[in-house]
Amino acid sequence: MNSWDAGLAGLLVGTIGVSLLSNGLVLLCLLHSADIRRQAPALFTLNLTCGNLLCTVVNMPLTLAGVVAQRQPAGDRLCRLAAFLDTFLAANSMLSMAALSIDRWVAVVFPLSYRAKMRLRDAAFMVAYTWLHALTFPATALALSWLGFHQLYASCTLCSRRPDERLRFAVFTSAFHALSFLLSFIVLCFTYLKVLKVARFHCKRIDVITMQTLVLLVDIHPSVRERCLEEQKRRRQRATKKISTFIGTFLVCFAPYVITRLVELFSTAPIDSHWGVLSKCLAYSKAASDPFVYSLLRHQYRRSCKELLNRIFNRRSIHSVGLTAEDTGDGH
Protein backbone atom coordinates (compact mmCIF):
# COMPACT_ATOMS: atom_id res chain seq x y z
CA MET A 1 0.00 0.00 0.00
CA ASN A 2 1.57 3.29 -1.15
CA SER A 3 1.30 6.72 0.48
CA TRP A 4 -1.80 7.65 -1.59
CA ASP A 5 -3.64 4.54 -0.43
CA ALA A 6 -2.55 5.16 3.17
CA GLY A 7 -3.82 8.75 2.98
CA LEU A 8 -7.16 7.65 1.54
CA ALA A 9 -7.47 4.95 4.20
CA GLY A 10 -6.76 7.57 6.89
CA LEU A 11 -9.38 9.88 5.37
CA LEU A 12 -11.94 7.08 5.49
CA VAL A 13 -11.09 6.24 9.11
CA GLY A 14 -11.49 9.90 10.08
CA THR A 15 -14.79 10.17 8.20
CA ILE A 16 -16.11 7.04 9.92
CA GLY A 17 -15.16 8.36 13.36
CA VAL A 18 -16.66 11.84 12.86
CA SER A 19 -19.79 10.43 11.24
CA LEU A 20 -20.45 7.96 14.06
CA LEU A 21 -19.99 10.57 16.78
CA SER A 22 -21.92 13.41 15.11
CA ASN A 23 -24.85 11.33 13.83
CA GLY A 24 -25.03 9.48 17.15
CA LEU A 25 -25.23 12.81 18.95
CA VAL A 26 -28.07 13.94 16.66
CA LEU A 27 -29.99 10.76 17.52
CA LEU A 28 -29.46 11.36 21.23
CA CYS A 29 -30.76 14.92 20.84
CA LEU A 30 -33.84 13.64 19.03
CA LEU A 31 -34.49 11.07 21.76
CA HIS A 32 -33.92 13.60 24.53
CA SER A 33 -35.88 16.60 23.26
CA ALA A 34 -39.65 16.28 22.90
CA ASP A 35 -39.78 19.80 21.42
CA ILE A 36 -37.58 18.74 18.48
CA ARG A 37 -39.54 15.52 17.92
CA ARG A 38 -42.85 17.41 17.69
CA GLN A 39 -41.66 19.36 14.65
CA ALA A 40 -42.04 18.05 11.09
CA PRO A 41 -38.34 18.54 10.15
CA ALA A 42 -37.43 15.99 12.85
CA LEU A 43 -38.68 13.21 10.55
CA PHE A 44 -36.44 14.40 7.72
CA THR A 45 -33.49 14.70 10.09
CA LEU A 46 -34.16 11.25 11.55
CA ASN A 47 -34.34 9.73 8.07
CA LEU A 48 -31.10 11.44 7.03
CA THR A 49 -29.29 10.54 10.26
CA CYS A 50 -30.27 6.85 10.20
CA GLY A 51 -29.18 6.61 6.57
CA ASN A 52 -25.84 8.24 7.40
CA LEU A 53 -25.26 5.82 10.28
CA LEU A 54 -26.12 2.80 8.14
CA CYS A 55 -23.71 3.99 5.44
CA THR A 56 -21.03 4.56 8.09
CA VAL A 57 -21.44 1.11 9.60
CA VAL A 58 -21.78 -0.93 6.37
CA ASN A 59 -20.44 0.83 3.28
CA MET A 60 -17.53 2.87 4.60
CA PRO A 61 -15.76 -0.07 6.34
CA LEU A 62 -16.10 -2.21 3.21
CA THR A 63 -14.61 0.57 1.08
CA LEU A 64 -11.81 0.93 3.63
CA ALA A 65 -11.14 -2.81 3.37
CA GLY A 66 -11.19 -2.52 -0.44
CA VAL A 67 -8.62 0.31 -0.36
CA VAL A 68 -6.33 -1.60 1.99
CA ALA A 69 -6.64 -5.01 0.29
CA GLN A 70 -6.89 -3.64 -3.30
CA ARG A 71 -9.56 -6.24 -4.08
CA GLN A 72 -13.16 -7.14 -3.33
CA PRO A 73 -13.44 -7.02 0.48
CA ALA A 74 -16.32 -9.49 0.90
CA GLY A 75 -18.23 -12.29 -0.79
CA ASP A 76 -20.50 -11.66 -3.76
CA ARG A 77 -23.75 -11.72 -1.76
CA LEU A 78 -22.52 -9.30 0.89
CA CYS A 79 -21.05 -7.05 -1.80
CA ARG A 80 -24.35 -6.97 -3.70
CA LEU A 81 -26.18 -6.11 -0.46
CA ALA A 82 -23.68 -3.32 0.24
CA ALA A 83 -24.04 -2.06 -3.35
CA PHE A 84 -27.83 -2.06 -2.95
CA LEU A 85 -27.51 -0.03 0.26
CA ASP A 86 -24.94 2.31 -1.29
CA THR A 87 -27.26 3.19 -4.17
CA PHE A 88 -30.34 3.49 -1.97
CA LEU A 89 -28.67 5.53 0.77
CA ALA A 90 -27.05 7.94 -1.71
CA ALA A 91 -30.41 8.73 -3.33
CA ASN A 92 -32.18 8.84 0.04
CA SER A 93 -29.60 11.28 1.42
CA MET A 94 -29.94 13.67 -1.53
CA LEU A 95 -33.73 13.56 -1.52
CA SER A 96 -33.81 14.08 2.27
CA MET A 97 -31.80 17.28 1.83
CA ALA A 98 -34.27 18.38 -0.83
CA ALA A 99 -37.14 17.65 1.60
CA LEU A 100 -35.44 19.73 4.32
CA SER A 101 -35.04 22.62 1.87
CA ILE A 102 -38.74 22.43 0.97
CA ASP A 103 -39.62 22.51 4.68
CA ARG A 104 -37.52 25.65 5.21
CA TRP A 105 -38.96 27.28 2.10
CA VAL A 106 -42.51 26.73 3.39
CA ALA A 107 -41.52 27.98 6.87
CA VAL A 108 -39.97 31.21 5.54
CA VAL A 109 -42.23 32.03 2.58
CA PHE A 110 -45.52 30.94 4.22
CA PRO A 111 -44.90 31.48 7.97
CA LEU A 112 -48.55 31.96 8.93
CA SER A 113 -49.75 28.77 7.23
CA TYR A 114 -46.63 26.66 7.91
CA ARG A 115 -48.23 24.47 10.58
CA ALA A 116 -51.17 23.70 8.28
CA LYS A 117 -48.97 23.02 5.25
CA MET A 118 -46.23 20.99 6.99
CA ARG A 119 -47.72 18.63 9.55
CA LEU A 120 -46.11 15.43 10.79
CA ARG A 121 -48.43 13.51 8.47
CA ASP A 122 -47.20 15.52 5.49
CA ALA A 123 -43.58 14.99 6.53
CA ALA A 124 -44.18 11.23 6.85
CA PHE A 125 -45.68 11.19 3.35
CA MET A 126 -42.60 12.97 1.98
CA VAL A 127 -40.26 10.51 3.72
CA ALA A 128 -42.27 7.59 2.32
CA TYR A 129 -41.97 9.04 -1.19
CA THR A 130 -38.23 9.53 -0.64
CA TRP A 131 -37.84 5.86 0.26
CA LEU A 132 -39.94 4.69 -2.71
CA HIS A 133 -38.03 6.93 -5.11
CA ALA A 134 -34.65 5.86 -3.70
CA LEU A 135 -35.54 2.13 -3.72
CA THR A 136 -36.53 2.11 -7.38
CA PHE A 137 -32.99 2.30 -8.73
CA PRO A 138 -31.17 -0.30 -6.60
CA ALA A 139 -34.10 -2.70 -7.06
CA THR A 140 -33.82 -2.30 -10.83
CA ALA A 141 -30.04 -2.69 -10.69
CA LEU A 142 -30.41 -5.84 -8.59
CA ALA A 143 -32.83 -7.34 -11.10
CA LEU A 144 -30.40 -6.59 -13.95
CA SER A 145 -27.32 -7.80 -12.02
CA TRP A 146 -25.70 -4.35 -12.05
CA LEU A 147 -24.51 -4.45 -8.44
CA GLY A 148 -21.04 -5.51 -7.39
CA PHE A 149 -17.48 -4.46 -6.64
CA HIS A 150 -16.10 -1.57 -8.69
CA GLN A 151 -12.29 -1.49 -8.64
CA LEU A 152 -12.07 2.21 -9.62
CA TYR A 153 -13.88 3.25 -6.42
CA ALA A 154 -12.76 0.27 -4.29
CA SER A 155 -16.44 0.01 -3.37
CA CYS A 156 -19.44 -2.23 -3.72
CA THR A 157 -21.71 -0.07 -5.87
CA LEU A 158 -23.34 0.14 -9.31
CA CYS A 159 -21.23 -1.64 -11.93
CA SER A 160 -21.57 -3.67 -15.12
CA ARG A 161 -18.89 -6.06 -16.37
CA ARG A 162 -20.52 -7.02 -19.68
CA PRO A 163 -19.46 -4.86 -22.67
CA ASP A 164 -22.71 -5.57 -24.55
CA GLU A 165 -24.67 -3.89 -21.72
CA ARG A 166 -22.56 -0.72 -21.68
CA LEU A 167 -25.16 1.49 -23.41
CA ARG A 168 -28.07 0.28 -21.27
CA PHE A 169 -26.02 0.67 -18.11
CA ALA A 170 -24.95 4.18 -19.16
CA VAL A 171 -28.59 5.21 -19.71
CA PHE A 172 -29.62 3.72 -16.37
CA THR A 173 -26.77 5.40 -14.46
CA SER A 174 -27.48 8.74 -16.14
CA ALA A 175 -31.15 8.48 -15.20
CA PHE A 176 -30.22 7.59 -11.62
CA HIS A 177 -27.98 10.63 -11.20
CA ALA A 178 -30.45 12.92 -13.00
CA LEU A 179 -33.34 11.88 -10.75
CA SER A 180 -31.31 11.95 -7.53
CA PHE A 181 -28.39 14.38 -7.71
CA LEU A 182 -29.66 16.79 -10.38
CA LEU A 183 -33.27 16.80 -9.16
CA SER A 184 -32.18 17.45 -5.57
CA PHE A 185 -29.77 20.19 -6.68
CA ILE A 186 -32.53 21.98 -8.63
CA VAL A 187 -34.88 21.77 -5.63
CA LEU A 188 -32.14 23.08 -3.31
CA CYS A 189 -31.38 26.02 -5.59
CA PHE A 190 -35.04 26.93 -6.11
CA THR A 191 -36.08 26.74 -2.45
CA TYR A 192 -33.02 28.33 -0.87
CA LEU A 193 -32.88 31.17 -3.38
CA LYS A 194 -36.52 31.91 -2.55
CA VAL A 195 -35.60 31.82 1.14
CA LEU A 196 -32.68 34.18 0.50
CA LYS A 197 -34.95 36.59 -1.38
CA VAL A 198 -37.39 36.74 1.54
CA ALA A 199 -34.56 37.07 4.07
CA ARG A 200 -33.03 39.99 2.16
CA PHE A 201 -36.44 41.68 1.95
CA HIS A 202 -36.87 41.47 5.72
CA CYS A 203 -33.29 42.67 6.25
CA LYS A 204 -34.01 45.74 4.14
CA ARG A 205 -37.12 46.51 6.21
CA ILE A 206 -35.15 46.15 9.44
CA ASP A 207 -32.34 48.28 8.01
CA VAL A 208 -34.78 51.08 7.13
CA ILE A 209 -36.23 51.06 10.65
CA THR A 210 -32.75 50.99 12.16
CA MET A 211 -31.54 53.93 10.06
CA GLN A 212 -34.65 55.94 10.91
CA THR A 213 -34.05 55.26 14.59
CA LEU A 214 -30.40 56.31 14.33
CA VAL A 215 -31.40 59.56 12.62
CA LEU A 216 -33.88 60.36 15.38
CA LEU A 217 -31.37 59.57 18.13
CA VAL A 218 -29.09 62.53 17.46
CA ASP A 219 -27.26 62.25 20.79
CA ILE A 220 -26.43 58.55 20.43
CA HIS A 221 -22.82 57.63 21.14
CA PRO A 222 -20.73 56.94 17.98
CA SER A 223 -19.72 53.49 19.24
CA VAL A 224 -23.39 52.48 19.55
CA ARG A 225 -24.07 53.74 16.05
CA GLU A 226 -21.13 51.70 14.71
CA ARG A 227 -22.35 48.56 16.47
CA CYS A 228 -25.80 48.99 14.92
CA LEU A 229 -24.31 49.38 11.44
CA GLU A 230 -22.07 46.32 11.98
CA GLU A 231 -25.08 44.28 13.09
CA GLN A 232 -26.86 45.36 9.89
CA LYS A 233 -23.96 44.06 7.83
CA ARG A 234 -23.80 40.76 9.74
CA ARG A 235 -27.56 40.28 9.37
CA ARG A 236 -27.32 40.64 5.59
CA GLN A 237 -24.44 38.18 5.40
CA ARG A 238 -25.87 35.55 7.76
CA ALA A 239 -28.58 34.22 5.43
CA THR A 240 -26.21 34.19 2.46
CA LYS A 241 -23.60 32.20 4.40
CA LYS A 242 -26.13 29.62 5.58
CA ILE A 243 -27.58 29.05 2.12
CA SER A 244 -24.11 28.93 0.57
CA THR A 245 -23.22 26.26 3.13
CA PHE A 246 -26.30 24.14 2.32
CA ILE A 247 -25.77 24.22 -1.45
CA GLY A 248 -21.96 24.31 -1.31
CA THR A 249 -21.55 21.19 0.84
CA PHE A 250 -24.01 19.33 -1.40
CA LEU A 251 -21.98 20.19 -4.50
CA VAL A 252 -18.52 19.69 -3.02
CA CYS A 253 -19.39 16.26 -1.61
CA PHE A 254 -21.53 14.75 -4.38
CA ALA A 255 -20.56 16.50 -7.64
CA PRO A 256 -17.03 15.00 -8.01
CA TYR A 257 -18.35 11.44 -7.66
CA VAL A 258 -21.31 11.99 -9.99
CA ILE A 259 -19.15 13.67 -12.65
CA THR A 260 -16.55 10.89 -12.39
CA ARG A 261 -19.23 8.23 -12.89
CA LEU A 262 -20.55 9.99 -16.00
CA VAL A 263 -17.06 10.60 -17.45
CA GLU A 264 -16.26 6.92 -16.86
CA LEU A 265 -19.33 5.90 -18.87
CA PHE A 266 -19.08 8.30 -21.80
CA SER A 267 -15.32 8.76 -22.19
CA THR A 268 -12.59 6.35 -23.21
CA ALA A 269 -9.93 8.27 -21.28
CA PRO A 270 -8.61 6.32 -18.27
CA ILE A 271 -9.44 7.60 -14.78
CA ASP A 272 -6.88 7.37 -12.02
CA SER A 273 -7.99 4.94 -9.33
CA HIS A 274 -6.84 7.27 -6.56
CA TRP A 275 -9.15 9.98 -7.88
CA GLY A 276 -12.00 7.46 -8.07
CA VAL A 277 -11.55 6.51 -4.40
CA LEU A 278 -11.13 10.18 -3.39
CA SER A 279 -14.40 11.12 -5.12
CA LYS A 280 -16.10 8.28 -3.23
CA CYS A 281 -14.59 9.52 0.04
CA LEU A 282 -15.97 13.00 -0.67
CA ALA A 283 -19.43 11.49 -1.17
CA TYR A 284 -19.04 9.66 2.16
CA SER A 285 -17.92 12.87 3.87
CA LYS A 286 -21.47 14.23 3.46
CA ALA A 287 -22.55 11.77 6.14
CA ALA A 288 -20.04 13.37 8.53
CA SER A 289 -20.93 16.98 7.66
CA ASP A 290 -24.75 16.66 7.59
CA PRO A 291 -25.17 16.64 11.40
CA PHE A 292 -23.36 19.98 11.66
CA VAL A 293 -24.95 21.60 8.61
CA TYR A 294 -28.55 20.60 9.37
CA SER A 295 -28.73 19.90 13.11
CA LEU A 296 -26.00 20.42 15.70
CA LEU A 297 -25.36 24.11 14.93
CA ARG A 298 -29.03 25.00 15.42
CA HIS A 299 -30.15 26.50 18.73
CA GLN A 300 -32.53 23.67 19.72
CA TYR A 301 -29.91 20.97 19.18
CA ARG A 302 -27.21 22.96 21.00
CA ARG A 303 -29.56 23.39 23.96
CA SER A 304 -30.40 19.68 23.90
CA CYS A 305 -26.67 18.82 23.84
CA LYS A 306 -26.05 21.07 26.85
CA GLU A 307 -28.90 19.44 28.75
CA LEU A 308 -27.51 15.98 27.95
CA LEU A 309 -24.03 16.96 29.10
CA ASN A 310 -25.39 18.54 32.28
CA ARG A 311 -27.37 15.41 33.03
CA ILE A 312 -24.30 13.22 32.53
CA PHE A 313 -22.08 15.41 34.71
CA ASN A 314 -24.76 15.67 37.41
CA ARG A 315 -25.07 11.89 37.55
CA ARG A 316 -21.30 11.54 37.82
CA SER A 317 -21.11 14.13 40.59
CA ILE A 318 -23.96 12.44 42.49
CA HIS A 319 -22.27 9.08 42.02
CA SER A 320 -18.92 10.42 43.26
CA VAL A 321 -20.60 12.07 46.27
CA GLY A 322 -22.29 8.77 47.10
CA LEU A 323 -18.99 6.90 46.92
CA THR A 324 -17.34 9.52 49.14
CA ALA A 325 -20.12 9.19 51.69
CA GLU A 326 -19.77 5.39 51.68
CA ASP A 327 -16.01 5.65 52.16
CA THR A 328 -16.53 8.07 55.04
CA GLY A 329 -19.05 5.73 56.64
CA ASP A 330 -16.67 2.78 56.29
CA GLY A 331 -13.92 4.82 57.87
CA HIS A 332 -16.06 5.54 60.92
Side-chain angles (χ1 to χ4, degrees):
M1 186 169 65
N2 57 33
S3 58
W4 263 102
D5 294 329
L8 292 170
L11 179 61
L12 274 169
V13 170
T15 303
I16 290 171
V18 174
S19 180
L20 282 174
L21 289 173
S22 57
N23 285 287
L25 187 56
V26 172
L27 274 184
L28 286 175
C29 290
L30 286 169
L31 290 172
H32 175 261
S33 176
D35 291 336
I36 296 176
R37 290 197 305 273
R38 277 196 292 266
Q39 299 173 2
L43 278 178
F44 304 136
T45 304
L46 179 63
N47 183 40
L48 184 63
T49 302
C50 290
N52 288 340
L53 283 172
L54 191 57
C55 178
T56 304
V57 171
V58 178
N59 295 100
M60 292 188 200
L62 285 176
T63 300
L64 176 61
V67 171
V68 173
Q70 297 292 308
R71 59 181 175 82
Q72 183 171 317
D76 289 339
R77 287 187 178 180
L78 180 57
C79 195
R80 281 197 296 271
L81 174 62
F84 185 96
L85 281 176
D86 180 76
T87 309
F88 166 71
L89 293 175
N92 181 61
S93 175
M94 296 177 194
L95 293 170
S96 294
M97 293 169 210
L100 280 165
S101 72
I102 292 172
D103 173 78
R104 298 194 179 187
W105 170 62
V106 174
V108 172
V109 179
F110 309 102
L112 299 179
S113 58
Y114 171 73
R115 291 187 180 277
K117 290 178 180 292
M118 192 60 70
R119 296 163 294 182
L120 283 174
R121 184 178 64 187
D122 301 316
F125 175 79
M126 291 176 69
V127 170
Y129 170 77
T130 298
W131 275 58
L132 182 63
H133 186 129
L135 279 170
T136 302
F137 293 97
T140 304
L142 181 64
L144 296 172
S145 300
W146 286 345
L147 298 174
F149 181 73
H150 201 310
Q151 189 65 48
L152 177 61
Y153 308 101
S155 303
C156 297
T157 183
L158 287 174
C159 68
S160 176
R161 297 183 178 87
R162 294 177 57 182
D164 59 317
E165 292 183 339
R166 182 178 178 84
L167 180 60
R168 292 172 59 203
F169 181 71
V171 172
F172 172 81
T173 306
S174 301
F176 168 65
H177 291 304
L179 294 174
S180 56
F181 172 78
L182 184 59
L183 176 63
S184 300
F185 178 64
I186 291 172
V187 172
L188 285 171
C189 289
F190 174 80
T191 53
Y192 283 130
L193 289 178
K194 290 287 186 181
V195 169
L196 181 60
K197 183 179 178 181
V198 173
R200 283 180 173 173
F201 172 74
H202 287 300
C203 283
K204 285 181 181 178
R205 292 182 61 187
I206 296 171
D207 291 346
V208 169
I209 296 170
T210 303
M211 292 305 297
Q212 289 174 348
T213 305
L214 291 175
V215 170
L216 291 173
L217 298 174
V218 180
D219 298 330
I220 192 171
H221 194 274
S223 62
V224 177
R225 186 186 298 270
E226 288 178 6
R227 283 200 299 269
C228 290
L229 294 175
E230 287 175 3
E231 180 59 29
Q232 275 185 344
K233 186 177 179 181
R234 283 197 297 269
R235 194 185 301 116
R236 286 194 296 267
Q237 293 176 345
R238 197 175 298 133
T240 305
K241 286 181 179 178
K242 285 184 178 180
I243 289 168
S244 299
T245 301
F246 293 142
I247 299 177
T249 53
F250 182 87
L251 279 179
V252 169
C253 293
F254 287 125
Y257 178 68
V258 172
I259 292 171
T260 304
R261 298 277 339 209
L262 296 177
V263 169
E264 174 201 354
L265 291 171
F266 296 104
S267 174
T268 56
I271 299 173
D272 185 72
S273 60
H274 294 127
W275 168 252
V277 176
L278 179 60
S279 66
K280 191 66 176 174
C281 290
L282 286 174
Y284 285 150
S285 69
K286 196 71 175 74
S289 64
D290 282 343
F292 300 100
V293 174
Y294 291 100
S295 304
L296 295 177
L297 297 180
R298 293 176 60 193
H299 173 70
Q300 283 182 313
Y301 284 87
R302 291 204 306 269
R303 185 177 62 191
S304 181
C305 287
K306 288 179 181 178
E307 290 174 358
L308 281 169
L309 290 174
N310 289 334
R311 181 175 294 184
I312 292 171
F313 286 128
N314 288 337
R315 284 181 178 178
R316 285 185 177 180
S317 61
I318 291 171
H319 182 66
S320 61
V321 169
L323 289 176
T324 305
E326 289 179 3
D327 294 339
T328 306
D330 291 340
H332 288 297

